[in-house]
Amino acid sequence: MLDINMVRNQPEVVRQALVNRSEPTDSLDAILAFDVQRRDILKQSEQLRALRNSVSKEISKMKDATAREAKIAEMRAVGDQIAALEVDLKKVETQLEELTTAIPNVPDLRTPVGLSEDDNVVLRTEGAPRQFDFAPKPHWELGVALGILDFERGVKLSGTRFYVLNGAGARLQRALITWMLDLHTQQGYREEYLPFMVKQQTLFAAGQLPKFKDNLYHDVEEDFWMVPTAEVPLTNLHGGEILSADQLPLHYCAYTPCFRREKMKAGSDVRGIKRGHQFDKVEMYMFCTPESSDAELEKMLADAEAVCKGLGLTYRVKQLCTSDIGFSARMTYDLEVWAPGCGEWLEVSSVSNCGDFQARRANIKYRRETGAKVELVHTLNGSGLALPRTMIAVMENYQQVDGSIVVPDVLRAFVGMDVIR
RNA sequence: GGAGAGGUAGCAUAGUCUGGUCUAAUGCGCACGCCUGGAGAGCGUGUACGGUUAAAACCCGUCGCAGGUUCAAAUCCUGUCCUCUCCGCCA
């Protein structure tokens, strides 16, 4: 959520941000109008409240019954006026909130302006794609042939786009999770085990609600929401708290499954495990001071890259343009790994600086020093990494001519074998 | 799931029965000052958050949350969430 003071004082900054994000700007004018209305009504009702408060005090001391009754009657009328104003106020505030919470974050000035994902900028590519002396197979062929990936039974259990990992396939994924968490722990992130179901407010604070309601699974009976990413519970770990400056920065990492109800285009990404309603992810998250978030973003990017490097994967770093960065983000880097079997660059990580946008929604503040005013923290999040696509990259890059898959060095101890055959 | 007790500003407690000197007190902690060679003790001062405002004072709001009664609610009423204890059930 944006600071209403900022919207009020620098509406052109917000308007330009919306234009750069290819978002409509009409709500901005409505916000400004509602804001004026709100403060106008507020002023009136506060004055009346002040009057009632002081007269009520007088009433308690009044001896003369007639005069007392007169004042009470007078205040009864004032109370009615206040009630009427409050009704108006609530209406205005509801509309104001609806609009302001739907405004995305203002992109960082360094985020390239662009109209679509085609305008994202490839900053660099690390490593050269492996050269094969045979035709590399896609993971859905490799996995099924090896008996470590079962689409049919996944569909039997849950429908299209679900799958089962068997034996070494399941072990490989678990190995990746464990290794990634260990790596991030070494990098200074504290591992957390989190709820996979959260309440509404938790999703609101992370910027998922109300705008992305359609992408979430919701248990109506108990009002539990399945997390679409660990970013959601991680953001709220310190919700409503005032941290002290010497606690910052706080680094966390967590493994969670992610549940997404996205309406997938028929025919797109249908094959394999690239996109599903359920996937696993290891996530990094950070709370820090405003002046350090730029540098921390670079650290988090490096930490995510370390996963790709450790696995010996060829990857490229992209900087997302204004129309492709997430709702809460100011600046985002994507990591894409090369998958030779399906011949695609796969997005395995998205590392973002959200500035104070999430902190404002989640009410996460810190005090610079004793006695100082509280300020909002900055939050950053980054995948480290998304599991299915990492699995794809590992399977397809480490395949051999006979269809077996060499286990990357760093995972061998966890998988318990050198080659999956 | 059943019964009971509770939720007050960093922590711990008072206030609730009996509505108005509650403009929320007290202790601890913390910060600053005095004192000291230095520290401690002692003394003094300060110490929730949000809104309003150019900023501040004043002012308005917040005693888990949401409603209601009243001129006036921490206090009375209703609903709800959470915590603890006991019972039941369960991995």
Side-chain angles (χ1 to χ4, degrees), chain A residues 114 116 122 196 213 265 360 374 378:
Chain A
S116 75
V122 177
F196 303 156
K213 188 172 190 286
K265 277 177 269 173
R360 185 171 293 105
V374 292
H378 278 198

Side-chain angles (χ1 to χ4, degrees), chain A residues 297-308:
Chain A
L297 180 66
E298 302 303 317
K299 170 185 160 48
M300 194 175 268
L301 173 63
D303 294 339
E305 283 185 62
V307 179
C308 300

Side-chain angles (χ1 to χ4, degrees), chain A residues 380-418:
Chain A
L380 298 90
N381 64 81
S383 347
L385 309 169
L387 267 305
R389 293 172 185 183
T390 307
M391 289 278 284
I392 294 174
V394 168
M395 290 168 71
E396 296 186 1
N397 277 292
Y398 283 88
Q399 63 178 298
Q400 304 188 97
V401 67
D402 62 355
S404 62
I405 295 168
V406 174
V407 178
D409 285 344
V410 293
L411 300 179
R412 287 184 187 173
F414 301 107
V415 182
M417 58 182 85
D418 295 351

Side-chain angles (χ1 to χ4, degrees), chain A residues 288-300:
Chain A
C288 67
T289 58
E291 59 273 20
S292 62
S293 69
D294 280 343
E296 296 288 5
L297 180 66
E298 302 303 317
K299 170 185 160 48
M300 194 175 268

Side-chain angles (χ1 to χ4, degrees), chain A residues 45-214:
Chain A
S45 80
E46 282 191 3
Q47 280 171 356
L48 290 175
R49 275 176 189 278
L51 174 68
R52 185 175 67 180
N53 286 347
S54 64
V55 173
S56 287
K57 250 164 246 166
E58 287 170 27
I59 289 173
S60 67
K61 292 171 194 147
M62 289 175 81
K63 298 281 190 308
D64 184 78
T66 321
R68 191 183 154 98
E69 281 308 316
K71 281 290 181 194
I72 288 177
E74 204 178 299
M75 285 309 106
R76 195 174 292 144
V78 169
D80 290 345
Q81 285 181 60
I82 294 172
L85 285 168
E86 300 281 289
V87 171
D88 292 349
L89 185 64
K90 194 151 197 172
K91 263 186 222 159
V92 171
E93 286 188 332
T94 304
Q95 293 178 87
L96 191 59
E97 191 187 291
E98 208 168 281
L99 294 173
T100 50
T101 55
I103 302 280
N105 202 355
V106 174
D108 189 286
L109 289 172
R110 290 162 298 171
T111 294
V113 176
L115 291 173
S116 75
E117 59 177 23
D118 299 333
D119 297 315
N120 294 338
V121 179
V122 177
L123 297 178
R124 57 196 156 85
T125 301
E126 301 286 343
R130 176 185 157 192
Q131 297 304 309
F132 289 84
D133 48 15
F134 58 94
K137 291 177 183 156
H139 66 283
W140 57 84
E141 284 178 24
L142 287 165
V144 172
L146 284 168
I148 60 171
L149 182 53
D150 186 340
F151 292 103
E152 290 178 13
R153 290 200 173 87
V155 171
K156 178 165 76 178
L157 295 177
S158 306
T160 182
R161 291 182 197 267
F162 285 90
Y163 55 88
V164 174
L165 295 174
N166 326 102
R171 287 186 72 91
L172 180 62
Q173 174 156 292
R174 181 158 58 87
L176 281 164
I177 294 165
T178 306
W179 173 72
M180 286 174 186
L181 286 171
D182 285 355
L183 178 64
H184 295 318
T185 301
Q186 283 165 29
Q187 291 166 337
Y189 299 81
R190 191 175 86 186
E191 181 179 343
E192 306 284 295
Y193 171 79
L194 303 161
F196 303 156
M197 298 189 288
V198 296
K199 51 187 179 179
Q200 204 168 316
Q201 163 59 23
T202 305
L203 281 153
F204 173 82
Q208 298 284 338
L209 283 177
K211 207 169 181 181
F212 304 102
K213 188 172 190 286
D214 292 347

